[in-house]
Amino acid sequence: MPMVCVTDFEAQARELLSKSTWDFIEGGADEGFTRDDNIAAFKKIRLRPRYLKDVSHVDTRTTIQGAEISAPICIAPTGFHCLAWPDGEMSTARAAQAAGICYIASTYASCTLEDIVSTAPRGLRWFQLYVQLDRQLNKQLIQKVESLGFKALVVTVDVPKLGNRRHDVRNQLDLKTNLLLKDLRSPKERNAAPHLQMSPIDSSFCWSDLSWLQSITQLPIILKGILTKEDAELAVKHKVHGIIVSNHGGRQLDGVAASINALTEVVAAVKGKIEVYMDGGIRTGSDVLKALALGAKCVFLGRPVLWGLACKLSRCARCRRFLQDR
């Protein structure tokens, strides 16, 4: 049966993936209220259509940070794509290039940044940074992505500590002993360590530290995880280039606003001085329309991309065995 909407991919991915992998992708923090509210909030927004407009020729192209994309629908940073498909982020990058949209590669990508670039050399790529305790490691990562042609630095601000993801605790999920994150190792570890000891995120990173990041890169800096007027105003004050309104897919702090509900507050606060994007809960074209109408320049998709990876060539017996083993 053909898959005609995002939820069809969701249903098939759930059948294909192991329980622990599915729980990792789908899980939210604590009770999962914010995760679910991200989707429910869109359903409460009603459209006010205007008619007798010439729509015989529709052009979905737009620009983000000055670069053209084919549509205002891009790929959010999510880690560990190899959980869903053997080629992992390389397949994601190829798809983004083919679609003419932006792909934000995660700090916790399961493929090397070099492989991601080589497999889709013409794609528009941004890099998402979890600021590490080791400042030199941050600098090396940023210098690497600059040399590889990434066009923006997306700094995730809503993970000073990892969210309480109950499913992962129950499943005793231990990604660091199952996946090798090749871009988060020191030179010594690259030569010797069979598995990565995941570097801790710097929980002391604050607004005053943005100037240090700005001093070591010419890339535009975008803050991911802003939800309030106050933080949006501070982002403008600190001369960042954009904001992604996001609650981390409901995976961090349960009980915060749905992303679409926080969007209007952030858009009003920045007063057009910087671009505003959003992620979280987008499942239909109508959801995209609602986000754009409320001020988002572009939306980013997270979980649906992983569902698509899991469904890729799902009839292949070898691939099914791979997915079930994860």
Side-chain angles (χ1 to χ4, degrees):
M1 183 170 63
M3 291 184 284
V4 299
C5 60
V6 168
T7 53
D8 289 345
F9 284 87
E10 178 184 15
Q12 185 164 348
R14 184 167 193 165
E15 292 180 3
L16 290 165
L17 295 170
S18 69
K19 181 181 183 302
S20 62
T21 296
W22 177 258
D23 286 348
F24 171 70
I25 292 171
E26 291 303 301
D30 291 311
E31 297 176 286
F33 174 81
T34 296
R35 176 201 60 192
D36 297 341
D37 197 36
N38 274 344
I39 297 171
F42 274 103
K43 310 309 177 190
K44 298 175 183 176
I45 299 172
R46 297 294 175 263
L47 301 173
R48 296 183 67 251
R50 298 291 306 279
Y51 296 118
L52 294 177
K53 301 286 185 179
D54 183 358
V55 292
S56 57
H57 300 285
V58 176
D59 186 351
T60 62
R61 291 177 299 174
T62 188
T63 61
I64 52 174
Q65 298 301 316
E68 184 178 287
I69 51 177
S70 65
I73 307 168
C74 296
I75 300 178
T78 52
F80 311 112
H81 287 202
C82 284
L83 286 172
W85 177 250
D87 282 349
E89 289 83 2
M90 291 188 291
S91 283
T92 306
R94 288 193 295 268
Q97 177 178 274
I101 60 175
C102 179
Y103 163 45
I104 307 179
S106 170
T107 296
Y108 293 149
S110 44
C111 299
T112 67
L113 296 174
E114 289 87 351
D115 285 344
I116 291 170
V117 172
S118 65
T119 197
R122 299 182 308 280
L124 174 61
R125 296 174 302 275
W126 295 356
F127 177 72
Q128 175 268 333
L129 176 69
Y130 285 117
V131 178
Q132 308 294 303
L133 277 172
D134 184 343
R135 286 290 174 97
Q136 187 61 27
L137 179 55
N138 292 309
K139 187 173 182 179
Q140 290 170 354
L141 275 171
I142 292 168
Q143 289 174 337
K144 175 185 282 192
V145 299
E146 285 181 329
S147 69
L148 289 172
F150 286 74
K151 299 302 183 183
L153 183 66
V154 178
V155 180
T156 295
V157 301
D158 60 358
V159 190
K161 298 290 183 182
L162 191 65
N164 183 31
R165 302 170 191 175
R166 296 178 183 179
H167 287 303
D168 294 347
V169 175
R170 292 187 183 110
N171 293 329
Q172 298 183 313
L173 187 69
D174 188 6
L175 290 169
K176 67 186 179 185
T177 61
N178 290 293
L179 291 169
L180 188 62
L181 302 179
K182 299 175 183 177
D183 288 298
L184 275 182
R185 291 180 290 163
S186 67
K188 181 178 179 181
E189 288 174 321
R190 289 191 190 101
N191 295 328
H195 296 292
L196 169 75
Q197 295 300 312
M198 288 170 64
S199 177
I201 296 170
D202 186 357
S203 60
S204 71
F205 190 81
C206 58
W207 289 104
S208 60
D209 294 308
L210 282 173
S211 60
W212 174 76
L213 278 181
Q214 291 163 332
S215 74
I216 63 171
T217 183
Q218 296 300 309
L219 293 176
I221 293 176
I222 293 141
L223 300 185
K224 178 180 181 292
I226 300 296
L227 291 170
T228 64
K229 168 183 180 290
E230 292 83 359
D231 280 350
E233 291 173 343
L234 282 169
V236 172
K237 179 180 178 181
H238 285 82
K239 296 181 172 56
V240 303
H241 293 79
I243 286 171
I244 302 179
V245 177
S246 172
N247 54 40
H248 218 98
R251 296 166 67 83
Q252 273 304 110
L253 181 60
D254 202 23
V256 300
S259 294
I260 191 65
N261 289 340
L263 176 63
T264 51
E265 179 179 332
V266 172
V267 168
V270 304
K271 300 177 180 178
K273 295 176 182 176
I274 58 177
E275 293 183 349
V276 178
Y277 323 106
M278 72 148 291
D279 68 21
I282 298 156
R283 298 293 181 267
T284 68
S286 292
D287 293 342
V288 177
L289 173 61
K290 291 171 183 178
L292 299 180
L294 292 174
K297 179 73 169 174
C298 172
V299 302
F300 288 87
L301 303 182
R303 290 182 178 97
V305 174
L306 296 170
W307 302 338
L309 281 177
C311 292
K312 185 180 178 185
L313 296 180
S314 60
R315 293 181 178 86
C316 169
R318 179 183 66 84
C319 300
R320 284 200 301 271
R321 286 197 299 272
F322 171 85
L323 292 168
Q324 290 164 357
D325 288 343
R326 288 284 173 166

